[in-house]
Amino acid sequence: MIDPSLVRTHFPALASGTLFFDNPAGTQVAREVLDRMRGYLVGSNANHGGAFRASRESDAMVREARAAVADFLGAGRPEEISFGQNMTSLALHVSRSIARELSPGDEIVVTRLDHDANVSPWLLAARDRGCAVRWVDFDPAECAWSLDALREQVGPRTKLVAVGYASNATGTINPVAEAARIAHEAGALCFVDAVHIAPHGPIDVAAIGCDFLACSAYKFFGPHLGILWGRHELLERLSAYKVRPAGDAPPDKWETGTQSFESIAGVLGAVEYLEWVGRTCAPAAAVSGRRAVLRAAMTAIREYEAGLSRAMRDGLCTIPGLKIWGITDPARMAHRVPTYSFTLEGRHPRKICEELDKRGIAAWDGNFYALEVTTRVGLERSGGMVRVGAVHYTTAAEIDRLTAAVREIAAGRP
Ligand SMILES: Cc1ncc(COP(=O)(O)O)c(C=O)c1O
């Protein structure tokens, strides 16, 4: 069970008193992350591959971080983890290599619910190789796509299916394991964007059965750094766009130039923080090994957040003139994370966020780069949506303050 008052002691930024509901755009950073980054920069700041102490220590830290992230994602081996500037860069990078193997007439399937980082790389690949793009639409009432809608777009010429695990715009959790199966039945690869699910629940690449999965550490309490997992045989076989002196084996061939080692140290700190959560939530006897501890942590986080999600839904749903874009059916709450986007009749999303800011509440407005979502529901030209997102350091009292503030703004009170 998550104790929010205890976990909050690990986040120095929370002492500012700000109500952080901008979490979907980036969470606050755990103390373990700060310690690791500072420790790295002070104690072993060096480039890789050198014959001296700091370089050896730096390389050892990167190996440790890779193994930790492999456990976080359920990867079979650490070499399946590549680091990069952010998820978008990694997706663009690997898409170029996948595109080399495409022929004119092949098809790529993308969804209208995805962040553009899992859309544009594939649109560009299709443009470069003369492939067709097939779009999976979503139901605007619930902002969810169905497996039937996916099946309709997948066919014998499909070479890649790109899906998001959870929508950063509407909070919808998508059936990615089934999507991977459908892709494979058609002989296609499956790329999963796990950026938005990462802070909210366990990820298991083996259980999903996808071929690639990407996420970003700044969304799960770490620093700004992207992470790519790929099936080892694919990482080995695909030709990477790389410089000649860089290693030819994964992960080296996928990591372009000098890495942000301090950020990699920070990712290690983020996983160490989650290990601490796991150990405080699950009795030692119940879990052994880092993977099991991390799974226990993320399961406890998901359970705690379910209560927050219901409170957000209940609080927001009853505000006159407010429309939530996404799942609100109490029976379907397990199909969403506590990320809520809404519009308020007659109010511009930016103005609402400015009003929230006056009350010490950080929230986002716009399309959040989920361009197809706001276009599909007809909000792209009117400022998009307001988005508020909770994570496991959010408290029930903060949600009460948020919903009271939105209610006040809706009523036109200053
Ligand atoms: C669902 C989703 N995918 C991809 C991205 C892009 O991640 P990055 O900023 O690491 O490129 C984001 C960022 O907001 C996101 O929310």
PDB file of all heavy atoms in Angstrom, residues 106-136:
ATOM      1  N   ASP A 106       4.063  -1.545 -49.354  1.00  0.00           N
ATOM      2  CA  ASP A 106       3.913  -2.047 -47.977  1.00  0.00           C
ATOM      3  C   ASP A 106       3.057  -1.065 -47.184  1.00  0.00           C
ATOM      4  O   ASP A 106       2.907   0.098 -47.578  1.00  0.00           O
ATOM      5  CB  ASP A 106       5.290  -2.177 -47.296  1.00  0.00           C
ATOM      6  CG  ASP A 106       6.068  -3.387 -47.813  1.00  0.00           C
ATOM      7  OD1 ASP A 106       5.448  -4.262 -48.442  1.00  0.00           O
ATOM      8  OD2 ASP A 106       7.298  -3.436 -47.582  1.00  0.00           O
ATOM      9  N   GLU A 107       2.556  -1.551 -46.052  1.00  0.00           N
ATOM     10  CA  GLU A 107       1.661  -0.691 -45.254  1.00  0.00           C
ATOM     11  C   GLU A 107       2.132  -0.575 -43.812  1.00  0.00           C
ATOM     12  O   GLU A 107       2.691  -1.525 -43.245  1.00  0.00           O
ATOM     13  CB  GLU A 107       0.239  -1.265 -45.276  1.00  0.00           C
ATOM     14  CG  GLU A 107      -0.386  -1.213 -46.657  1.00  0.00           C
ATOM     15  CD  GLU A 107      -1.751  -1.866 -46.755  1.00  0.00           C
ATOM     16  OE1 GLU A 107      -2.240  -2.411 -45.737  1.00  0.00           O
ATOM     17  OE2 GLU A 107      -2.313  -1.848 -47.867  1.00  0.00           O
ATOM     18  N   ILE A 108       1.887   0.607 -43.255  1.00  0.00           N
ATOM     19  CA  ILE A 108       2.186   0.869 -41.847  1.00  0.00           C
ATOM     20  C   ILE A 108       0.885   1.286 -41.178  1.00  0.00           C
ATOM     21  O   ILE A 108       0.124   2.078 -41.734  1.00  0.00           O
ATOM     22  CB  ILE A 108       3.226   2.010 -41.715  1.00  0.00           C
ATOM     23  CG1 ILE A 108       4.564   1.578 -42.314  1.00  0.00           C
ATOM     24  CG2 ILE A 108       3.399   2.429 -40.262  1.00  0.00           C
ATOM     25  CD1 ILE A 108       5.643   2.656 -42.243  1.00  0.00           C
ATOM     26  N   VAL A 109       0.639   0.732 -39.994  1.00  0.00           N
ATOM     27  CA  VAL A 109      -0.599   1.056 -39.276  1.00  0.00           C
ATOM     28  C   VAL A 109      -0.268   1.929 -38.063  1.00  0.00           C
ATOM     29  O   VAL A 109       0.602   1.577 -37.253  1.00  0.00           O
ATOM     30  CB  VAL A 109      -1.321  -0.240 -38.822  1.00  0.00           C
ATOM     31  CG1 VAL A 109      -2.540   0.087 -37.956  1.00  0.00           C
ATOM     32  CG2 VAL A 109      -1.741  -1.064 -40.046  1.00  0.00           C
ATOM     33  N   VAL A 110      -0.934   3.085 -37.967  1.00  0.00           N
ATOM     34  CA  VAL A 110      -0.778   3.980 -36.810  1.00  0.00           C
ATOM     35  C   VAL A 110      -2.175   4.284 -36.265  1.00  0.00           C
ATOM     36  O   VAL A 110      -3.175   4.023 -36.928  1.00  0.00           O
ATOM     37  CB  VAL A 110      -0.066   5.303 -37.201  1.00  0.00           C
ATOM     38  CG1 VAL A 110       1.366   5.064 -37.625  1.00  0.00           C
ATOM     39  CG2 VAL A 110      -0.831   6.043 -38.304  1.00  0.00           C
ATOM     40  N   THR A 111      -2.244   4.861 -35.059  1.00  0.00           N
ATOM     41  CA  THR A 111      -3.567   5.172 -34.498  1.00  0.00           C
ATOM     42  C   THR A 111      -3.739   6.684 -34.324  1.00  0.00           C
ATOM     43  O   THR A 111      -2.756   7.411 -34.187  1.00  0.00           O
ATOM     44  CB  THR A 111      -3.810   4.495 -33.125  1.00  0.00           C
ATOM     45  OG1 THR A 111      -3.346   5.365 -32.086  1.00  0.00           O
ATOM     46  CG2 THR A 111      -3.134   3.141 -33.018  1.00  0.00           C
ATOM     47  N   ARG A 112      -4.990   7.110 -34.300  1.00  0.00           N
ATOM     48  CA  ARG A 112      -5.280   8.532 -34.101  1.00  0.00           C
ATOM     49  C   ARG A 112      -5.229   8.920 -32.626  1.00  0.00           C
ATOM     50  O   ARG A 112      -5.403  10.077 -32.286  1.00  0.00           O
ATOM     51  CB  ARG A 112      -6.656   8.883 -34.680  1.00  0.00           C
ATOM     52  CG  ARG A 112      -6.717   8.758 -36.187  1.00  0.00           C
ATOM     53  CD  ARG A 112      -7.803   9.609 -36.806  1.00  0.00           C
ATOM     54  NE  ARG A 112      -7.948   9.300 -38.217  1.00  0.00           N
ATOM     55  CZ  ARG A 112      -7.160   9.792 -39.189  1.00  0.00           C
ATOM     56  NH1 ARG A 112      -6.193  10.645 -38.903  1.00  0.00           N
ATOM     57  NH2 ARG A 112      -7.347   9.442 -40.452  1.00  0.00           N
ATOM     58  N   LEU A 113      -5.010   7.927 -31.760  1.00  0.00           N
ATOM     59  CA  LEU A 113      -4.980   8.225 -30.324  1.00  0.00           C
ATOM     60  C   LEU A 113      -3.546   8.480 -29.830  1.00  0.00           C
ATOM     61  O   LEU A 113      -3.335   8.870 -28.695  1.00  0.00           O
ATOM     62  CB  LEU A 113      -5.600   7.039 -29.554  1.00  0.00           C
ATOM     63  CG  LEU A 113      -6.043   7.284 -28.116  1.00  0.00           C
ATOM     64  CD1 LEU A 113      -7.062   8.412 -28.014  1.00  0.00           C
ATOM     65  CD2 LEU A 113      -6.632   6.012 -27.516  1.00  0.00           C
ATOM     66  N   ASP A 114      -2.564   8.264 -30.711  1.00  0.00           N
ATOM     67  CA  ASP A 114      -1.178   8.326 -30.257  1.00  0.00           C
ATOM     68  C   ASP A 114      -0.593   9.733 -30.199  1.00  0.00           C
ATOM     69  O   ASP A 114      -0.999  10.626 -30.937  1.00  0.00           O
ATOM     70  CB  ASP A 114      -0.301   7.473 -31.184  1.00  0.00           C
ATOM     71  CG  ASP A 114      -0.180   6.051 -30.688  1.00  0.00           C
ATOM     72  OD1 ASP A 114      -1.120   5.265 -30.902  1.00  0.00           O
ATOM     73  OD2 ASP A 114       0.832   5.740 -30.058  1.00  0.00           O
ATOM     74  N   HIS A 115       0.384   9.895 -29.329  1.00  0.00           N
ATOM     75  CA  HIS A 115       1.289  11.059 -29.348  1.00  0.00           C
ATOM     76  C   HIS A 115       1.995  11.053 -30.695  1.00  0.00           C
ATOM     77  O   HIS A 115       2.279   9.972 -31.249  1.00  0.00           O
ATOM     78  CB  HIS A 115       2.292  10.890 -28.209  1.00  0.00           C
ATOM     79  CG  HIS A 115       3.213  12.049 -27.996  1.00  0.00           C
ATOM     80  ND1 HIS A 115       4.248  12.329 -28.844  1.00  0.00           N
ATOM     81  CD2 HIS A 115       3.268  12.990 -27.027  1.00  0.00           C
ATOM     82  CE1 HIS A 115       4.907  13.394 -28.402  1.00  0.00           C
ATOM     83  NE2 HIS A 115       4.319  13.814 -27.305  1.00  0.00           N
ATOM     84  N   ASP A 116       2.304  12.226 -31.211  1.00  0.00           N
ATOM     85  CA  ASP A 116       2.877  12.275 -32.556  1.00  0.00           C
ATOM     86  C   ASP A 116       4.260  11.616 -32.652  1.00  0.00           C
ATOM     87  O   ASP A 116       4.721  11.296 -33.759  1.00  0.00           O
ATOM     88  CB  ASP A 116       2.952  13.721 -33.061  1.00  0.00           C
ATOM     89  CG  ASP A 116       2.671  13.777 -34.553  1.00  0.00           C
ATOM     90  OD1 ASP A 116       1.613  13.266 -34.976  1.00  0.00           O
ATOM     91  OD2 ASP A 116       3.525  14.282 -35.310  1.00  0.00           O
ATOM     92  N   ALA A 117       4.891  11.396 -31.517  1.00  0.00           N
ATOM     93  CA  ALA A 117       6.194  10.717 -31.530  1.00  0.00           C
ATOM     94  C   ALA A 117       6.062   9.263 -31.986  1.00  0.00           C
ATOM     95  O   ALA A 117       7.062   8.638 -32.364  1.00  0.00           O
ATOM     96  CB  ALA A 117       6.825  10.762 -30.146  1.00  0.00           C
ATOM     97  N   ASN A 118       4.843   8.733 -31.943  1.00  0.00           N
ATOM     98  CA  ASN A 118       4.626   7.378 -32.454  1.00  0.00           C
ATOM     99  C   ASN A 118       3.759   7.420 -33.719  1.00  0.00           C
ATOM    100  O   ASN A 118       3.144   6.424 -34.083  1.00  0.00           O
ATOM    101  CB  ASN A 118       3.974   6.494 -31.382  1.00  0.00           C
ATOM    102  CG  ASN A 118       4.141   5.017 -31.675  1.00  0.00           C
ATOM    103  OD1 ASN A 118       5.089   4.608 -32.368  1.00  0.00           O
ATOM    104  ND2 ASN A 118       3.227   4.199 -31.174  1.00  0.00           N
ATOM    105  N   VAL A 119       3.715   8.580 -34.346  1.00  0.00           N
ATOM    106  CA  VAL A 119       2.977   8.729 -35.604  1.00  0.00           C
ATOM    107  C   VAL A 119       3.925   9.266 -36.680  1.00  0.00           C
ATOM    108  O   VAL A 119       4.195   8.596 -37.690  1.00  0.00           O
ATOM    109  CB  VAL A 119       1.746   9.660 -35.440  1.00  0.00           C
ATOM    110  CG1 VAL A 119       1.048   9.857 -36.781  1.00  0.00           C
ATOM    111  CG2 VAL A 119       0.772   9.101 -34.408  1.00  0.00           C
ATOM    112  N   SER A 120       4.474  10.463 -36.432  1.00  0.00           N
ATOM    113  CA  SER A 120       5.307  11.097 -37.473  1.00  0.00           C
ATOM    114  C   SER A 120       6.497  10.245 -37.934  1.00  0.00           C
ATOM    115  O   SER A 120       6.794  10.226 -39.135  1.00  0.00           O
ATOM    116  CB  SER A 120       5.791  12.474 -37.003  1.00  0.00           C
ATOM    117  OG  SER A 120       4.774  13.417 -37.256  1.00  0.00           O
ATOM    118  N   PRO A 121       7.206   9.551 -37.028  1.00  0.00           N
ATOM    119  CA  PRO A 121       8.319   8.732 -37.532  1.00  0.00           C
ATOM    120  C   PRO A 121       7.852   7.744 -38.598  1.00  0.00           C
ATOM    121  O   PRO A 121       8.563   7.472 -39.575  1.00  0.00           O
ATOM    122  CB  PRO A 121       8.819   7.994 -36.282  1.00  0.00           C
ATOM    123  CG  PRO A 121       8.452   8.905 -35.154  1.00  0.00           C
ATOM    124  CD  PRO A 121       7.121   9.514 -35.563  1.00  0.00           C
ATOM    125  N   TRP A 122       6.626   7.242 -38.428  1.00  0.00           N
ATOM    126  CA  TRP A 122       6.107   6.229 -39.364  1.00  0.00           C
ATOM    127  C   TRP A 122       5.537   6.884 -40.618  1.00  0.00           C
ATOM    128  O   TRP A 122       5.623   6.306 -41.705  1.00  0.00           O
ATOM    129  CB  TRP A 122       5.086   5.339 -38.646  1.00  0.00           C
ATOM    130  CG  TRP A 122       5.642   4.868 -37.327  1.00  0.00           C
ATOM    131  CD1 TRP A 122       5.184   5.155 -36.075  1.00  0.00           C
ATOM    132  CD2 TRP A 122       6.846   4.089 -37.132  1.00  0.00           C
ATOM    133  NE1 TRP A 122       5.998   4.597 -35.111  1.00  0.00           N
ATOM    134  CE2 TRP A 122       7.019   3.939 -35.737  1.00  0.00           C
ATOM    135  CE3 TRP A 122       7.789   3.503 -37.994  1.00  0.00           C
ATOM    136  CZ2 TRP A 122       8.095   3.225 -35.183  1.00  0.00           C
ATOM    137  CZ3 TRP A 122       8.855   2.799 -37.442  1.00  0.00           C
ATOM    138  CH2 TRP A 122       8.996   2.664 -36.068  1.00  0.00           C
ATOM    139  N   LEU A 123       4.977   8.100 -40.471  1.00  0.00           N
ATOM    140  CA  LEU A 123       4.528   8.829 -41.666  1.00  0.00           C
ATOM    141  C   LEU A 123       5.738   9.145 -42.546  1.00  0.00           C
ATOM    142  O   LEU A 123       5.686   9.029 -43.773  1.00  0.00           O
ATOM    143  CB  LEU A 123       3.820  10.137 -41.285  1.00  0.00           C
ATOM    144  CG  LEU A 123       2.573  10.059 -40.397  1.00  0.00           C
ATOM    145  CD1 LEU A 123       1.931  11.440 -40.258  1.00  0.00           C
ATOM    146  CD2 LEU A 123       1.566   9.067 -40.949  1.00  0.00           C
ATOM    147  N   LEU A 124       6.839   9.532 -41.901  1.00  0.00           N
ATOM    148  CA  LEU A 124       8.054   9.874 -42.660  1.00  0.00           C
ATOM    149  C   LEU A 124       8.646   8.628 -43.318  1.00  0.00           C
ATOM    150  O   LEU A 124       9.102   8.671 -44.467  1.00  0.00           O
ATOM    151  CB  LEU A 124       9.075  10.543 -41.734  1.00  0.00           C
ATOM    152  CG  LEU A 124       8.636  11.897 -41.162  1.00  0.00           C
ATOM    153  CD1 LEU A 124       9.588  12.361 -40.064  1.00  0.00           C
ATOM    154  CD2 LEU A 124       8.557  12.946 -42.267  1.00  0.00           C
ATOM    155  N   ALA A 125       8.634   7.517 -42.571  1.00  0.00           N
ATOM    156  CA  ALA A 125       9.148   6.257 -43.138  1.00  0.00           C
ATOM    157  C   ALA A 125       8.317   5.865 -44.354  1.00  0.00           C
ATOM    158  O   ALA A 125       8.861   5.464 -45.397  1.00  0.00           O
ATOM    159  CB  ALA A 125       9.093   5.149 -42.079  1.00  0.00           C
ATOM    160  N   ALA A 126       6.994   6.010 -44.225  1.00  0.00           N
ATOM    161  CA  ALA A 126       6.098   5.654 -45.340  1.00  0.00           C
ATOM    162  C   ALA A 126       6.367   6.569 -46.535  1.00  0.00           C
ATOM    163  O   ALA A 126       6.430   6.107 -47.676  1.00  0.00           O
ATOM    164  CB  ALA A 126       4.646   5.762 -44.887  1.00  0.00           C
ATOM    165  N   ARG A 127       6.541   7.865 -46.257  1.00  0.00           N
ATOM    166  CA  ARG A 127       6.808   8.813 -47.345  1.00  0.00           C
ATOM    167  C   ARG A 127       8.102   8.439 -48.066  1.00  0.00           C
ATOM    168  O   ARG A 127       8.167   8.387 -49.290  1.00  0.00           O
ATOM    169  CB  ARG A 127       6.916  10.235 -46.765  1.00  0.00           C
ATOM    170  CG  ARG A 127       7.119  11.315 -47.786  1.00  0.00           C
ATOM    171  CD  ARG A 127       7.691  12.566 -47.163  1.00  0.00           C
ATOM    172  NE  ARG A 127       9.039  12.326 -46.606  1.00  0.00           N
ATOM    173  CZ  ARG A 127       9.716  13.215 -45.890  1.00  0.00           C
ATOM    174  NH1 ARG A 127       9.170  14.366 -45.593  1.00  0.00           N
ATOM    175  NH2 ARG A 127      10.939  12.941 -45.445  1.00  0.00           N
ATOM    176  N   ASP A 128       9.141   8.120 -47.289  1.00  0.00           N
ATOM    177  CA  ASP A 128      10.451   7.826 -47.882  1.00  0.00           C
ATOM    178  C   ASP A 128      10.439   6.541 -48.709  1.00  0.00           C
ATOM    179  O   ASP A 128      11.213   6.404 -49.654  1.00  0.00           O
ATOM    180  CB  ASP A 128      11.513   7.689 -46.780  1.00  0.00           C
ATOM    181  CG  ASP A 128      11.827   9.024 -46.122  1.00  0.00           C
ATOM    182  OD1 ASP A 128      11.341  10.061 -46.640  1.00  0.00           O
ATOM    183  OD2 ASP A 128      12.531   9.030 -45.090  1.00  0.00           O
ATOM    184  N   ARG A 129       9.612   5.567 -48.315  1.00  0.00           N
ATOM    185  CA  ARG A 129       9.664   4.246 -48.954  1.00  0.00           C
ATOM    186  C   ARG A 129       8.471   3.955 -49.849  1.00  0.00           C
ATOM    187  O   ARG A 129       8.313   2.820 -50.309  1.00  0.00           O
ATOM    188  CB  ARG A 129       9.774   3.151 -47.881  1.00  0.00           C
ATOM    189  CG  ARG A 129      10.916   3.337 -46.902  1.00  0.00           C
ATOM    190  CD  ARG A 129      12.279   3.353 -47.572  1.00  0.00           C
ATOM    191  NE  ARG A 129      12.588   2.068 -48.161  1.00  0.00           N
ATOM    192  CZ  ARG A 129      13.666   1.806 -48.886  1.00  0.00           C
ATOM    193  NH1 ARG A 129      14.540   2.773 -49.122  1.00  0.00           N
ATOM    194  NH2 ARG A 129      13.866   0.609 -49.388  1.00  0.00           N
ATOM    195  N   GLY A 130       7.586   4.938 -50.030  1.00  0.00           N
ATOM    196  CA  GLY A 130       6.419   4.731 -50.904  1.00  0.00           C
ATOM    197  C   GLY A 130       5.414   3.755 -50.308  1.00  0.00           C
ATOM    198  O   GLY A 130       4.784   2.978 -51.035  1.00  0.00           O
ATOM    199  N   CYS A 131       5.286   3.771 -48.988  1.00  0.00           N
ATOM    200  CA  CYS A 131       4.339   2.855 -48.328  1.00  0.00           C
ATOM    201  C   CYS A 131       3.016   3.579 -48.061  1.00  0.00           C
ATOM    202  O   CYS A 131       2.975   4.806 -48.005  1.00  0.00           O
ATOM    203  CB  CYS A 131       4.895   2.385 -46.986  1.00  0.00           C
ATOM    204  SG  CYS A 131       6.464   1.543 -47.137  1.00  0.00           S
ATOM    205  N   ALA A 132       1.985   2.788 -47.843  1.00  0.00           N
ATOM    206  CA  ALA A 132       0.693   3.367 -47.471  1.00  0.00           C
ATOM    207  C   ALA A 132       0.584   3.403 -45.949  1.00  0.00           C
ATOM    208  O   ALA A 132       1.120   2.533 -45.262  1.00  0.00           O
ATOM    209  CB  ALA A 132      -0.427   2.520 -48.059  1.00  0.00           C
ATOM    210  N   VAL A 133      -0.115   4.431 -45.458  1.00  0.00           N
ATOM    211  CA  VAL A 133      -0.365   4.519 -44.013  1.00  0.00           C
ATOM    212  C   VAL A 133      -1.832   4.229 -43.777  1.00  0.00           C
ATOM    213  O   VAL A 133      -2.697   4.787 -44.445  1.00  0.00           O
ATOM    214  CB  VAL A 133      -0.020   5.939 -43.479  1.00  0.00           C
ATOM    215  CG1 VAL A 133      -0.408   6.062 -42.004  1.00  0.00           C
ATOM    216  CG2 VAL A 133       1.454   6.228 -43.676  1.00  0.00           C
ATOM    217  N   ARG A 134      -2.088   3.334 -42.838  1.00  0.00           N
ATOM    218  CA  ARG A 134      -3.488   3.019 -42.512  1.00  0.00           C
ATOM    219  C   ARG A 134      -3.737   3.452 -41.076  1.00  0.00           C
ATOM    220  O   ARG A 134      -2.951   3.156 -40.179  1.00  0.00           O
ATOM    221  CB  ARG A 134      -3.741   1.527 -42.705  1.00  0.00           C
ATOM    222  CG  ARG A 134      -3.452   1.127 -44.160  1.00  0.00           C
ATOM    223  CD  ARG A 134      -3.980  -0.228 -44.474  1.00  0.00           C
ATOM    224  NE  ARG A 134      -5.412  -0.298 -44.314  1.00  0.00           N
ATOM    225  CZ  ARG A 134      -6.264  -0.630 -45.277  1.00  0.00           C
ATOM    226  NH1 ARG A 134      -5.834  -0.886 -46.477  1.00  0.00           N
ATOM    227  NH2 ARG A 134      -7.552  -0.728 -45.036  1.00  0.00           N
ATOM    228  N   TRP A 135      -4.835   4.197 -40.901  1.00  0.00           N
ATOM    229  CA  TRP A 135      -5.130   4.819 -39.606  1.00  0.00           C
ATOM    230  C   TRP A 135      -6.179   4.039 -38.829  1.00  0.00           C
ATOM    231  O   TRP A 135      -7.232   3.729 -39.354  1.00  0.00           O
ATOM    232  CB  TRP A 135      -5.651   6.237 -39.824  1.00  0.00           C
ATOM    233  CG  TRP A 135      -4.634   7.193 -40.359  1.00  0.00           C
ATOM    234  CD1 TRP A 135      -4.327   7.423 -41.672  1.00  0.00           C
ATOM    235  CD2 TRP A 135      -3.788   8.057 -39.589  1.00  0.00           C
ATOM    236  NE1 TRP A 135      -3.340   8.389 -41.760  1.00  0.00           N
ATOM    237  CE2 TRP A 135      -2.997   8.798 -40.502  1.00  0.00           C
ATOM    238  CE3 TRP A 135      -3.622   8.281 -38.220  1.00  0.00           C
ATOM    239  CZ2 TRP A 135      -2.057   9.736 -40.094  1.00  0.00           C
ATOM    240  CZ3 TRP A 135      -2.695   9.224 -37.811  1.00  0.00           C
ATOM    241  CH2 TRP A 135      -1.922   9.934 -38.730  1.00  0.00           C
ATOM    242  N   VAL A 136      -5.890   3.787 -37.568  1.00  0.00           N
ATOM    243  CA  VAL A 136      -6.891   3.205 -36.674  1.00  0.00           C
ATOM    244  C   VAL A 136      -7.598   4.365 -35.988  1.00  0.00           C
ATOM    245  O   VAL A 136      -6.961   5.163 -35.291  1.00  0.00           O
ATOM    246  CB  VAL A 136      -6.226   2.293 -35.609  1.00  0.00           C
ATOM    247  CG1 VAL A 136      -7.279   1.714 -34.673  1.00  0.00           C
ATOM    248  CG2 VAL A 136      -5.425   1.182 -36.288  1.00  0.00           C
TER     249      VAL A 136
END
